[in-house]
Amino acid sequence: MAIALLIHFDWHNIEETAAQLLGAEEPEWYFRSSQGEAWRFAVAPAEGRGWLEYFRLSDGINVLVMDCQFHEPRDTIVEDGKNLRFNFALALDVQMQAGASRPTHALTQSWRVINTRNDLEMKEHFAASHRHSWVTIHCPPDLLADLAGKEAADLPEMLQPLPDWYSGNSFHSPFDSDRRLSEAVSDILLCELEDNLRVQYVRARSTELLCLALHSLLEPPRSAPGINLTVDDELAIRAIAERLRTEFTDPPSIATLAKESGINRNKLFYGFRNFYGVTISRYLQNLRLERGYELLKTTDLSLLEICEQAGFSHQSNFSTAIRKRFGMSPKEFRKGRG
């Protein structure tokens, strides 16, 4: 097993971080205006493929836009200070651990709030050979209060500063992405604007993402049955997620998974959603979309062949899913690629 490279992610020194994380000694471009600064780095071929953009905006928001895949695993140490972090992912496979708390495995399409005590570091493990595609917004709580038109003390608990005595170490709450969130993230990733237009666009869409997230958090919570998972239950759910990563084109039924893993269907359904932020069916759909995206991006296979390899039963279903996720059809996607 490869030993992961340990990197200290610094919100204030992106050049050093990019050199360690991506093997990128110099940015592809750098832009500065009254609205903020922006960098774009390409992953060195020896380290993997993809790119990273970083925006340090004038209102105190930092935005990290990433679409990368690494040959070897990476471990990063992140200090968020007094700011909160919102992560909106189209694809990821990262284990996160704050202080001495139990690690959380973040997978597939979802969004999450990361709120750590000021004195804690967040350790994040990037799996090798998996796509990591997301927009992360690092912002001060006061800005969230301004967006919501509320006092900071009236925001949901997970957005409040954590006291030193708080035993949970951090909030790391996953949520299922809806169409609007996914489209905003896709638009940021695929937009080809440059210089100040790019900065302004990312600022606007990042604000939109924060507004949508706040709206979701301020709504009355939906009732859900209380699920108490044992250590064995958690291990079983993790094993099921790993199994589905290799069998997503022809997955076992929920009943089969429950029976073979020794966990009842109710615990499997709600436990999986609580653990990974998405239902099993959405998890499978995301895996198929990721495979289809990779084949569209890296091969000249026909749409029929891509559908077969990605696990879609019909081309129309695949085209609809790709358009919903990325805002363009497979043919339009390939035309833009060319």
Side-chain angles (χ1 to χ4, degrees):
M1 181 179 296
I3 298 176
L5 178 67
L6 181 61
I7 299 158
H8 190 101
F9 180 78
D10 192 336
W11 289 103
H12 305 290
N13 190 355
I14 187 62
E15 294 94 341
E16 181 179 336
T17 299
Q20 296 177 348
L21 182 65
L22 313 176
E25 296 298 333
E26 298 289 339
E28 285 191 322
W29 55 255
Y30 167 77
F31 179 80
R32 183 176 184 178
S33 73
S34 61
Q35 304 301 315
E37 297 176 273
W39 295 257
R40 182 182 175 99
F41 300 89
V43 178
E47 303 296 334
R49 58 188 177 89
W51 53 271
L52 176 152
E53 289 181 351
Y54 181 75
F55 299 83
R56 185 181 296 144
L57 303 177
S58 57
D59 53 8
I61 291 180
N62 303 310
V63 182
L64 186 72
V65 184
M66 185 174 186
D67 196 349
C68 299
Q69 184 169 312
F70 301 114
H71 298 320
E72 302 294 338
R74 299 282 195 275
D75 280 335
T76 62
I77 300 295
V78 183
E79 293 182 49
D80 290 314
K82 296 181 180 180
N83 281 8
L84 300 171
R85 192 159 24 122
F86 288 74
N87 180 273
F88 303 91
L90 292 183
L92 78 164
D93 189 335
V94 177
Q95 287 190 350
M96 300 181 176
Q97 183 176 15
S101 63
R102 287 192 302 174
T104 299
H105 200 168
L107 288 171
T108 71
Q109 183 185 15
S110 59
W111 69 275
R112 63 202 67 242
V113 178
I114 301 169
N115 180 3
T116 60
R117 294 203 323 253
N118 294 342
D119 60 340
L120 285 183
E121 297 177 336
M122 177 73 78
K123 184 176 181 180
E124 302 181 0
H125 176 81
F126 291 72
S129 303
H130 291 290
R131 183 180 173 218
H132 306 287
S133 179
W134 63 63
V135 174
T136 290
I137 304 172
H138 180 248
C139 61
D142 288 347
L143 183 140
L144 299 175
D146 289 342
L147 287 177
K150 295 179 176 291
E151 297 295 329
D154 295 328
L155 292 176
E157 184 182 7
M158 70 175 61
L159 304 181
Q160 299 290 334
L162 299 182
D164 293 341
W165 50 261
Y166 180 71
S167 61
N169 293 326
S170 71
F171 273 113
H172 178 276
S173 302
F175 303 93
D176 197 1
S177 289
D178 62 19
R179 177 185 57 80
R180 294 174 301 172
L181 286 167
S182 297
E183 286 181 355
V185 175
S186 295
D187 288 345
I188 291 174
L189 287 162
L190 297 173
C191 175
E192 297 180 352
L193 295 176
E194 298 178 351
D195 299 333
N196 198 52
L197 290 177
R198 177 69 171 160
V199 175
Q200 296 284 17
Y201 185 82
V202 169
R203 174 195 290 274
R205 297 315 294 264
S206 296
T207 301
E208 178 186 355
L209 284 168
L210 289 177
C211 289
L212 292 172
L214 284 170
H215 174 71
S216 177
L217 295 176
L218 292 168
E219 287 183 336
R222 293 176 295 177
S223 60
I227 299 294
N228 296 316
L229 298 178
T230 66
V231 173
D232 288 342
D233 292 335
E234 292 184 4
L235 291 174
I237 290 172
R238 287 182 184 273
I240 287 170
E242 288 300 314
R243 177 179 178 181
L244 293 177
R245 291 183 72 86
T246 61
E247 300 181 22
F248 62 87
T249 58
D250 186 22
S253 67
I254 300 296
T256 298
L257 289 171
K259 181 178 180 180
E260 293 181 355
S261 63
I263 184 172
N264 70 57
R265 293 183 61 171
N266 197 47
K267 274 193 174 183
L268 175 56
F269 179 85
Y270 290 105
F272 194 99
R273 189 178 69 179
N274 291 344
F275 220 68
Y276 294 112
V278 292
T279 62
I280 291 178
S281 61
R282 176 62 68 88
Y283 179 78
L284 290 168
Q285 177 78 343
N286 290 338
L287 291 173
R288 291 168 182 151
L289 270 174
E290 283 305 307
R291 179 58 176 162
Y293 171 88
E294 288 297 318
L295 293 173
L296 275 175
K297 188 176 181 180
T298 61
T299 76
D300 293 316
L301 294 173
S302 69
L303 290 185
L304 178 60
E305 291 172 311
I306 289 177
C307 288
E308 291 175 349
Q309 292 192 28
F312 286 89
S313 56
H314 300 287
Q315 290 187 47
S316 60
N317 293 342
F318 176 64
S319 297
T320 298
I322 286 290
R323 180 182 290 277
K324 183 177 179 181
R325 172 73 68 86
F326 297 105
M328 61 180 72
S329 69
K331 291 183 179 179
E332 291 169 335
F333 187 92
R334 278 193 159 168
K335 184 178 179 180
R337 187 190 72 176

